[in-house]
């Protein structure tokens, strides 16, 4: 009854403030469950069991306590039989209290023995935990570094791509836009312009011949001073200047000496001298005096075995009864190889060539002529000049098929083309030839020596001449052609097409002819710009070519030549630089407009920027009837496209109907356009 009353009233003795407090009123209620309590005491608490550090002290304690509980259980059961029904409900709750009391009293007795064990192992355990903590912190730091460092690098790369690189490209485009005054009325000889990297910045610089006036009457006849100037492509700074005794007709760069591959050799070709200079410094390497030089130098294979390509030029012979001479020159020393070889070509007209050609059988030939086209094997030319055979077997090679084209058995000349109409132009059918025709680069010359030819004859007939059998592929008749055709890809058939110009009665007509069949692909008419300047062709990322040419306002619809703007002379003639891409044949981009008269031009590829620099040498009018100033101007094509103006042509500019594109579409296309070699 005491136990029941205590539980009912929830006396303080049942459960104290501490878990280990003992209640005498509930002692008897827990003794009848001694076995169950013993199992409870053996149950692991807080990770401690029989095998823990408390095992030795707790085993004896459990045994004694268990015996006391068994003895006391019989007395309690006899005393409380009559109240059994009242005790069954709270009995489980009392047993839980006894179990907790016995557990904590058992734990307190075990702590005394455990203290000694912990005292000895505490130092080593804390040391191990400290070492483990340091190792853990070190591993976490390494893991954080492996995560944060790549993240930081990626962020910096994004910032560089988003801000720094575009800024550098814009800065470079600005540096590629400049102009430089060269001289006065003495002007610049034509063609004076050559492109080569002379300062080692991977960008083609400008080399040009300059003629200026001198105040010193003792200088040269006419008070003229002749020189060659190298100008940096970036900014237009003068790199070096070389004085000459006469005007320079051609500047050719790219000749490589075997012992000095790091710097190029440039040839300065005048009327009576050829001088080789260091392209980086302008220092003279060698010179050879010649009389009446009529052509640029032609790069030949090595004839002497000194690992340096040799050269050939056309000159007028001393015997006036003969027409032309070919002279061999050592590329290494500048010495003449043997004597000039004269020819009687029995022709009239313009000088054609000379050009190097390699036949399909691997035999080298020299193509040249006056109003016609003849050829001679390089082997035969070398024997006639030196009376010796070439050193290598390749140079001694002949092509039996070409030997069948000889005029007669006693002649060394091979007949290529002649007719009643005089030949005006002969050039290799090779993309980019117009930009590299004066180059002495071995690769460029090798490619051009294995192609078919573009032939213009009778001033108005255009043909492609096959090199395999010397037959015409097709013939296109046009108005008189006044400038050398340009070669590029207009359509996507993989065959090079031809761009030609014709001017008459104040109107300039431009045409593009299909290279595969000679049909007309594109045509447009403009006010005549009153200049004769070769057009330029640049390759683009689309696989087609972009065409650059100078003209005045386009003529659309009905026109009257007498009222065409700029023809009457009442107002200054505005000359414009246009860009045409085959993707939009009815649209032109006006890149520049000026009253200057362009004398010559050239394009230079910037591979890293996928851009093109367009160089022009122009004559600029000056007030008070003073001599015109000569201006060298550089322009980035991408920058010019960004600031260009769209000019729409008539629907008749291309065979077939065309849909007029919108301005946004055109601007998006051209601004994404990139240029390549």
């Amino acid at each position: 009854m005491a136990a029941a009353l205590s539980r009912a009233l929830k006396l303080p003795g049942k459960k104290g403030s501490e878990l280990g407090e003992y209640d005498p009123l509930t002692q008897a209620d827990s003794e009848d469950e001694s076995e169950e309590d013993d199992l409870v005491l053996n149950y692991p608490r807080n990770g401690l069991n029989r095998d823990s550090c408390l095992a030795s002290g707790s085993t004896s304690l459990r045994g004694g306590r268990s015996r006391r509980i068994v003895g006391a259980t019989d007395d309690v059961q006899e005393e409380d039989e009559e109240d059994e029904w009242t005790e069954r409900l709270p009995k489980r709750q009392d047993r839980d209290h006894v179990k907790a009391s016995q557990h904590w009293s058992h734990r307190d007795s075990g702590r005394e023995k455990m203290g000694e064990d912990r005292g000895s192992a505490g130092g080593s355990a804390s040391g191990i935990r400290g070492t483990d903590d340091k190792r853990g912190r070190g591993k976490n730091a390494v893991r954080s570094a492996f995560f944060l460092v790549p993240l930081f690098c990626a962020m910096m790369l994004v910032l560089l791509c988003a801000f720094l690189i575009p800024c550098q490209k814009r800065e470079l485009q600005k540096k590629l836009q400049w102009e430089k005054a060269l001289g006065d009325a003495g002007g610049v000889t034509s063609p004076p312009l050559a492109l080569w990297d002379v300062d080692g910045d991977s960008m083609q610089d400008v080399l040009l011949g300059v003629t200026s006036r001198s105040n010193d009457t003792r200088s040269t006849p006419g008070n003229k001073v002749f020189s060659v100037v190298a100008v940096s492509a970036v900014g237009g700074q003068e790199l070096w200047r070389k004085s000459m005794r006469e005007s320079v007709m051609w500047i050719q760069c790219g000749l490589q000496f075997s012992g000095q591959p790091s710097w190029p050799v440039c040839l300065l070709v005048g009327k009576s001298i050829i001088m080789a200079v260091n392209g980086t410094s302008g220092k003279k390497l060698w010179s050879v005096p010649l009389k009446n030089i009529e052509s640029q130098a032609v790069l030949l294979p090595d004839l002497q075995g000194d690992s340096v390509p040799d050269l050939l030029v056309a000159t007028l012979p001393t015997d006036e009864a003969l027409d032309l001479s070919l002279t061999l020159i050592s590329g290494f020393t500048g010495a003449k190889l043997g004597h000039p070889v004269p020819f009687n070509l029995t022709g009239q007209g313009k000088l054609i060539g000379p050009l190097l050609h390699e036949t399909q059988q691997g035999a080298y030939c020299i193509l040249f002529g006056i109003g016609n086209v003849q050829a001679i094997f390089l082997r035969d030319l070398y024997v006639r000049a030196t009376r010796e055979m070439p050193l290598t077997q390749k140079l001694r090679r002949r092509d039996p098929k070409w030997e069948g084209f000889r005029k007669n058995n006693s002649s060394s000349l091979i007949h290529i083309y002649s007719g009643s109409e005089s030949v005006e132009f002969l050039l290799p059918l090779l993309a980019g030839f117009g930009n590299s025709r004066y180059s002495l680069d071995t690769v460029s010359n090798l490619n051009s020596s294995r192609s078919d030819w573009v032939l213009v004859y009778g001033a108005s007939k255009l043909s492609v001449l096959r090199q395999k059998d010397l037959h015409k592929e097709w013939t296109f008749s046009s108005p008189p052609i006044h400038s050398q055709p340009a070669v590029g890809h207009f359509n996507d058939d993989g065959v090079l097409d031809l761009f030609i110009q014709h001017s008459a009665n104040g109107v300039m007509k431009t045409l593009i002819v299909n290279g595969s069949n000679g049909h007309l692909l594109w045509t447009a008419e403009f006010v005549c710009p009153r200049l004769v300047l070769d057009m330029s062709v640049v390759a683009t990322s689309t696989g087609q070519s972009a065409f650059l040419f100078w003209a005045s306002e386009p003529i659309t619809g009905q026109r009257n030549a007498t009222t065409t703007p700029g023809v009457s002379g009442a107002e200054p003639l505005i000359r414009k630089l246009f860009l045409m891409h085959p993707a939009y044949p009815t649209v032109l981009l006006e890149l520049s407009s000026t009253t200057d008269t362009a004398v010559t031009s050239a394009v230079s590829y910037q591979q890293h920027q996928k851009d093109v620099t367009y160089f022009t040498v122009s004559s600029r009018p000056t007030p008070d009837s003073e001599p015109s100033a000569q201006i060298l101007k550089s322009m980035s094509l991408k920058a010019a496209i960004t600031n260009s103006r769209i000019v729409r042509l008539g629907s008749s500019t291309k065979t077939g109907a065309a849909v007029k594109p919108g301005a946004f579409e055109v601007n998006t296309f051209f601004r994404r356009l990139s240029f390549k070699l």
Side-chain angles (χ1 to χ4, degrees):
M1 293 299 294
L5 181 61
S6 175
R7 286 193 298 268
L9 296 178
K10 297 182 180 180
L11 294 177
K14 182 177 182 302
K15 189 174 183 179
S17 60
E18 294 183 359
L19 293 176
E21 187 174 348
Y22 177 73
D23 187 355
L25 294 178
T26 60
Q27 172 81 22
D29 293 320
S30 61
E31 290 180 353
D32 60 341
E33 300 293 333
S34 61
E35 294 180 359
E36 182 179 355
D37 289 345
D38 185 58
L39 293 176
V40 172
L41 290 175
N42 291 332
Y43 188 82
R45 298 296 179 98
N46 295 327
L48 301 177
N49 53 27
R50 292 190 184 100
D51 298 329
S52 68
C53 60
L54 298 178
S56 59
S58 60
T59 302
S60 60
L61 182 61
R62 279 199 307 269
R65 187 171 294 178
S66 177
R67 284 191 296 269
R68 285 199 309 271
I69 294 175
V70 172
T73 303
D74 297 334
D75 298 334
V76 173
Q77 288 179 348
E78 292 177 358
E79 181 180 356
D80 294 335
E81 287 179 355
E82 58 183 6
D83 298 325
E84 182 178 0
W85 65 273
T86 60
E87 294 176 1
R88 288 179 181 174
L89 183 62
K91 192 173 186 178
R92 175 63 60 182
Q93 185 177 1
D94 296 338
R95 284 199 304 269
D96 292 341
H97 175 71
V98 173
K99 294 171 187 175
S101 300
Q102 292 173 348
H103 168 71
W104 287 107
S105 61
H106 166 70
R107 184 173 180 179
D108 290 340
S109 63
R111 281 180 178 175
E112 296 178 358
K113 294 184 178 180
M114 185 180 66
E116 298 178 358
D117 297 337
R118 284 185 177 179
S120 60
S124 59
S126 61
I128 293 173
R129 285 195 298 270
T131 303
D132 293 341
D133 291 343
K134 290 181 180 179
R135 290 178 180 175
R137 286 194 297 269
K139 290 181 179 179
N140 292 335
V142 172
R143 291 170 183 168
S144 301
F146 272 108
F147 172 74
L148 294 175
V149 170
L151 181 63
F152 177 77
C153 294
M155 293 177 61
M156 292 301 298
L157 183 61
V158 170
L159 293 175
L160 285 174
C161 294
F163 298 102
L164 184 57
I165 294 177
C167 291
Q168 289 179 344
K169 288 185 177 180
R170 285 192 292 268
E171 288 296 323
L172 182 58
Q173 286 182 355
K174 291 179 181 178
K175 292 180 180 179
L176 294 176
Q177 308 243 95
W178 50 264
E179 64 178 41
K180 182 180 182 66
L182 301 174
D184 49 22
V188 179
T189 56
S190 180
L193 198 59
L195 303 176
W196 201 262
D197 180 16
V198 299
D199 58 2
D201 61 355
S202 300
M203 302 184 70
Q204 289 185 315
D205 304 302
V206 184
L207 294 93
L208 63 155
V210 177
T211 303
S212 58
R213 294 187 179 272
S214 173
N215 296 326
D216 187 359
T217 58
R218 299 171 298 176
S219 56
T220 56
N223 299 334
K224 293 182 179 180
V225 176
F226 307 103
S227 59
V228 174
V229 180
V231 180
S232 172
V234 181
Q237 296 85 4
E238 184 175 309
L239 300 175
W240 54 262
R241 181 182 291 263
K242 181 70 176 178
S243 298
M244 302 292 292
R245 294 183 178 180
E246 61 184 16
S247 63
V248 176
M249 298 187 296
W250 292 277
I251 303 175
Q252 300 175 261
C253 292
L255 181 63
Q256 291 286 347
F257 283 5
S258 58
Q260 295 86 6
S262 59
W263 45 265
V265 177
C266 294
L267 297 184
L268 313 180
V269 183
K271 191 65 178 177
S272 62
I273 190 173
I274 298 179
M275 181 183 295
V277 299
N278 184 330
T280 303
S281 63
K283 182 180 178 181
K284 175 182 173 181
L285 301 176
W286 55 257
S287 64
V288 53
L290 296 171
K291 291 183 179 180
N292 300 318
I293 298 175
E294 294 293 323
S295 74
Q296 77 278 8
V298 178
L299 191 72
L300 301 178
D302 178 21
L303 301 175
Q304 297 181 289
D306 55 10
S307 301
V308 178
D310 295 308
L311 306 167
L312 177 145
V313 293
T315 60
L316 291 179
T318 55
D319 187 353
E320 295 182 359
L322 301 175
D323 297 316
L324 195 69
S325 293
L326 298 179
T327 302
L328 299 175
I329 300 172
S330 170
F332 185 63
T333 63
K336 289 188 287 186
L337 304 181
H339 58 82
V341 180
F343 296 92
N344 186 6
L345 301 175
T346 64
Q348 293 182 349
K350 294 176 60 175
L351 173 63
I352 303 302
L355 296 172
L356 176 69
H357 180 75
E358 183 180 358
T359 69
Q360 292 182 335
Q361 298 298 324
Y364 289 109
C365 295
I366 304 298
L367 276 62
F368 65 105
I370 297 178
N372 54 29
V373 184
Q374 309 291 334
I376 184 174
F377 286 118
L378 181 58
R379 159 196 166 137
D380 296 338
L381 179 64
Y382 185 81
V383 170
R384 289 182 59 179
T386 64
R387 301 183 184 277
E388 297 177 356
M389 289 295 291
L391 296 177
T392 64
Q393 187 65 33
K394 183 174 179 60
L395 295 176
R396 300 176 185 178
R397 192 173 300 171
R398 288 180 176 178
D399 191 329
K401 190 172 184 178
W402 276 52
E403 286 186 341
F405 299 131
R406 291 182 186 272
K407 289 185 175 181
N408 51 65
N409 293 333
S410 60
S411 174
S412 60
L413 290 178
I414 301 171
H415 173 71
I416 303 298
Y417 176 83
S418 63
S420 58
E421 297 174 304
S422 176
V423 176
E424 298 293 329
F425 300 101
L426 179 72
L427 64 147
L429 184 60
L430 181 70
F433 174 77
N435 302 326
S436 61
R437 56 180 165 173
Y438 300 123
S439 172
L440 296 177
D441 177 61
T442 304
V443 176
S444 300
N445 281 269
L446 184 63
N447 292 335
S448 64
S449 67
R450 296 174 175 174
S451 67
D452 295 337
W453 303 289
V454 178
L455 181 68
V456 178
Y457 59 99
S460 60
K461 291 184 179 179
L462 177 70
S463 294
V464 170
L465 193 63
R466 297 194 301 259
Q467 61 99 12
K468 65 180 180 179
D469 56 10
L470 304 183
H471 289 169
K472 297 175 185 175
E473 185 77 25
W474 48 259
T475 299
F476 176 82
S477 297
S478 73
I481 301 171
H482 300 300
S483 61
Q484 180 171 283
V487 180
H489 291 281
F490 184 86
N491 52 22
D492 55 0
D493 61 359
V495 179
L496 289 167
D497 306 307
L498 304 174
F499 188 107
I500 57 177
Q501 292 178 329
H502 159 74
S503 298
N505 302 322
V507 176
M508 186 186 82
K509 191 172 184 178
T510 59
L511 307 94
I512 295 182
V513 181
N514 193 329
S516 61
N517 54 29
H519 295 167
L520 184 66
L521 292 174
W522 181 89
T523 182
E525 292 184 344
F526 302 85
V527 174
C528 182
R530 298 178 188 172
L531 54 84
V532 179
L533 185 65
D534 294 341
M535 65 287 294
S536 298
V537 181
V538 293
T540 68
S541 55
T542 64
Q544 296 170 300
S545 301
F547 299 85
L548 284 164
F549 61 96
W550 287 90
S552 292
E553 288 292 335
I555 300 174
T556 56
Q558 298 295 325
R559 55 147 179 88
N560 186 344
T562 59
T563 60
T564 301
V567 174
S568 63
E571 57 186 41
L573 182 63
I574 305 298
R575 300 176 176 90
K576 301 181 178 183
L577 177 63
F578 290 109
L579 173 67
M580 190 273 291
H581 191 279
Y584 295 96
T586 61
V587 172
L588 299 177
L589 290 189
E590 181 186 318
L591 304 181
S592 174
S593 62
T594 180
T595 57
D596 298 348
T597 302
V599 177
T600 187
S601 64
V603 296
S604 170
Y605 288 92
Q606 312 298 341
Q607 290 182 292
H608 297 295
Q609 291 76 32
K610 297 182 179 180
D611 196 2
V612 165
T613 305
Y614 185 71
F615 297 101
T616 55
V617 179
S618 304
S619 176
R620 177 170 295 175
T622 55
D624 302 328
S625 300
E626 294 182 1
S628 299
Q630 299 290 340
I631 305 297
L632 171 64
K633 188 174 182 179
S634 171
M635 178 176 62
S636 165
L637 218 55
K638 280 194 170 183
I641 289 174
T642 303
N643 302 318
S644 64
R645 183 175 72 91
I646 296 177
V647 177
R648 298 188 181 275
L649 302 175
S651 58
S652 62
T653 57
K654 183 177 181 293
T655 55
V659 179
K660 291 185 178 180
F664 177 78
E665 178 184 350
V666 173
N667 286 327
T668 301
F669 172 80
F670 279 100
R671 292 183 182 183
R672 291 179 178 178
L673 193 64
S674 59
F675 305 96
K676 62 179 183 178
L677 286 171

